[in-house]
Amino acid sequence: MSNKIYKISEDIYFSAATFRLSKNEKDIKLSNKEAELLEMLCEEAGSVIPRNILQEALWPNQDNTDTNLNRQILSLRRKLESFGLLDAIDTIPRVGYIFCAPIEVTGEAENTEARAETSGDSPRARRQYSRRKSDRYFSPKRIMLFALLIVVACSLAALIYHYSNKNTLRTINLGHVSLSTTSETENALKLKIDMLAPLVKKVPRNEEERVSILIGKEAISYFSIDNKNKELLANVFLLRAGHSVAEELQCVINTMALQGENVSHNYYHYPNTTVRYHSNCQAPDNWVEIARKSKIIVAMNREIVVATVIATDHLGQTLFNLDSVGNIERDQGDVAIEIKNTIVNFIDQKALTSNGMVATLVAALTPPKQMLLFIQLPGGIYLSSYMGGVISWPSRGNLNVIQRNEL
């Protein structure tokens, strides 16, 4: 134990030789271990002293001294706090302790000034410590808070990115006719749906008929329902390369006004979904008509859809047919179908190589591990994810359960 007197934080004095802490008229006696511990901390102020160093110095050749050291640190902290000195001893988790208060050696307990005068030694240089920035900024609490802020910021950024890039539906509703597209299609085709409103206004008005037009990435589809005559029309016109969307839409609207034999007609009582596909907006004779027959089976709390698609040309010749099986997930009125398996039962090889529309449709209907989305639109129709967006008619009952197997 040395004879040094330490001045702590300007007005607290610690005498190692007399085991005392004092401030003004207040005086506290320290135990032997507390005095030794405080002297070591003062001597190494500003540096981390490992726990094992303190334990070996205070209790040499002894085991299980963790509790003893913790007790002495706690007691010493309370006595320093009684003088108003808070957080003087900082804990470095799993390492040791650091003394953070300013320290100055003012002399020794016995005739320090006389020895200094006779020896001619200059006064001892003042030792001042202010806590290092790294100690303040990288404390465990600050690190935990900083990590939490990073997690929150990343989560918020991901949420903003998700909503800013979410594929949303864009619709213009003019009463007798509505025009829709998605934000993904707008970006892909570099168009703004509002710019197409003047064209849509040209669609002939029929009080008994409601028309829905959808612009997809690869096609323009339209669906009309005539409540008076109980007629349904569902057609898809593939977009041609080198033609603007406005030009293609105008051509489709002209074809809709004709509605001759080359535009399909279904009736309410028709049991299946039938859509006619055209290679361009002029609705020529060489269309491909696709009839879809499907049913939903419930087994072991799962909804399974089984569907058959038959494609024919304008002469009634079968071009291809395929079967698919998938799982259904419902979100209110919307439906998602995860296709597990698709089997092509027949395909006309000549039509496949000579008719580009057949190849396009086969590729659209048979991609591996596809997730089909059916978003419900006003009027009982659906926006399907085929070809970047195609209007689909579910035959008023195709999405209802018609067979239930309970195990």
Side-chain angles (χ1 to χ4, degrees):
M1 190 77 66
S2 72
N3 293 327
K4 295 178 182 178
I5 296 177
Y6 300 90
K7 185 178 180 182
I8 305 173
S9 190
E10 300 298 336
D11 55 358
I12 300 173
Y13 292 87
F14 164 53
S15 172
T18 60
F19 310 101
R20 291 189 179 279
L21 275 173
S22 59
K23 178 180 178 181
N24 298 328
E25 297 180 357
K26 184 176 181 179
D27 190 78
I28 295 179
K29 185 174 178 60
L30 303 179
S31 69
N32 182 40
K33 295 298 182 185
E34 288 173 344
E36 289 183 29
L37 175 59
L38 182 55
E39 185 177 27
M40 291 183 68
L41 292 172
C42 290
E43 282 295 311
E44 299 296 332
S47 301
V48 178
I49 306 179
R51 289 180 61 89
N52 64 320
I53 299 296
L54 294 172
Q55 290 167 344
E56 181 62 28
L58 297 174
W59 299 279
N61 303 318
Q62 293 185 29
D63 297 328
N64 301 322
T65 57
D66 276 345
T67 303
N68 293 334
L69 179 59
N70 293 339
R71 186 183 299 113
Q72 296 300 326
I73 288 289
L74 178 60
S75 177
L76 193 56
R77 277 175 172 160
R78 288 176 177 173
K79 291 181 179 180
L80 290 170
E81 288 171 0
S82 69
F83 287 109
L85 189 58
L86 305 178
D87 300 325
I89 303 174
D90 197 2
T91 301
I92 309 301
R94 299 183 181 180
V95 179
Y97 300 94
I98 182 173
F99 199 71
C100 302
I103 292 294
E104 178 183 352
V105 178
T106 61
E108 296 185 359
E110 296 180 359
N111 202 18
T112 305
E113 294 183 1
R115 285 206 308 269
E117 291 177 358
T118 57
S119 63
D121 293 338
S122 60
R124 185 181 181 95
R126 177 176 177 174
R127 182 176 184 180
Q128 182 74 28
Y129 167 70
S130 60
R131 194 175 181 185
R132 293 174 300 182
K133 289 185 177 180
S134 59
D135 297 333
R136 297 196 302 271
Y137 296 153
F138 296 99
S139 65
K141 290 183 180 179
R142 289 181 179 270
I143 292 174
M144 289 293 294
L145 180 60
F146 185 67
L148 181 61
L149 290 175
I150 290 178
V151 171
V152 172
C154 291
S155 301
L156 183 61
L159 189 64
I160 294 174
Y161 177 82
H162 171 73
Y163 279 101
S164 63
N165 292 275
K166 186 178 180 181
N167 189 23
T168 55
L169 185 67
R170 310 275 198 260
T171 300
I172 298 176
N173 196 335
L174 301 178
H176 69 294
V177 60
S178 63
L179 175 66
S180 301
T181 189
T182 64
S183 56
E184 284 186 357
T185 300
E186 281 188 324
N187 294 332
L189 300 182
K190 298 180 180 180
L191 65 89
K192 292 295 181 182
I193 188 173
D194 296 337
M195 304 298 294
L196 302 176
L199 293 178
V200 179
K201 291 180 181 179
K202 297 179 182 179
V203 175
R205 180 181 294 272
N206 184 335
E207 294 299 329
E208 300 296 332
E209 186 180 36
R210 293 293 180 268
V211 179
S212 297
I213 304 173
L214 175 67
I215 299 176
K217 294 179 183 178
E218 301 178 46
I220 296 177
S221 58
Y222 86 84
F223 173 86
S224 67
I225 177 170
D226 188 335
N227 292 312
K228 180 178 180 180
N229 299 316
K230 295 186 179 302
E231 290 182 346
L232 306 175
L233 292 86
N235 290 265
V236 179
F237 299 87
L238 303 187
L239 295 176
R240 298 170 296 176
H243 295 261
S244 68
V245 175
E247 180 185 353
E248 297 291 87
L249 179 59
Q250 180 63 70
C251 195
V252 169
I253 292 174
N254 294 340
T255 300
M256 290 168 56
L258 300 176
Q259 292 193 358
E261 293 182 357
N262 53 3
V263 180
S264 65
H265 288 265
N266 296 332
Y267 298 89
Y268 280 7
H269 64 271
Y270 196 85
N272 304 311
T273 302
T274 301
V275 180
R276 186 168 289 174
Y277 287 78
H278 305 275
S279 60
N280 60 60
C281 64
Q282 295 296 337
D285 290 337
N286 61 332
W287 65 74
V288 173
E289 198 166 68
I290 291 182
R292 178 186 177 90
K293 303 176 182 179
S294 61
K295 65 179 179 179
I296 297 173
I297 301 171
V298 174
M300 298 182 66
N301 298 321
R302 285 195 308 164
E303 284 189 288
I304 302 172
V305 62
V306 180
T308 297
V309 173
I310 302 174
T312 57
D313 61 15
H314 66 285
L315 300 176
Q317 300 294 320
T318 299
L319 299 174
F320 63 86
N321 70 74
L322 55 89
D323 296 325
S324 62
V325 178
N327 294 331
I328 292 181
E329 295 181 5
R330 298 177 186 268
D331 183 7
Q332 297 180 352
D334 300 340
V335 178
I337 301 177
E338 182 182 7
I339 302 298
K340 293 293 187 179
N341 192 20
T342 300
I343 300 173
V344 178
N345 299 312
F346 169 79
I347 189 166
D348 187 320
Q349 297 293 332
K350 182 178 179 180
L352 181 64
T353 55
S354 62
N355 190 339
M357 184 164 44
V358 173
T360 300
L361 295 177
V362 171
L365 293 169
T366 60
K369 296 182 180 180
Q370 62 176 320
M371 176 69 78
L372 299 181
L373 302 178
F374 294 86
I375 301 174
Q376 192 172 26
L377 302 179
I381 59 178
Y382 284 79
L383 185 162
S384 72
S385 57
Y386 281 120
M387 307 177 73
V390 172
I391 286 178
S392 176
W393 172 244
S395 305
R396 288 195 181 277
N398 265 5
L399 294 178
N400 294 328
V401 177
I402 58 176
Q403 179 175 339
R404 185 180 294 273
N405 295 340
E406 299 291 351
L407 300 180

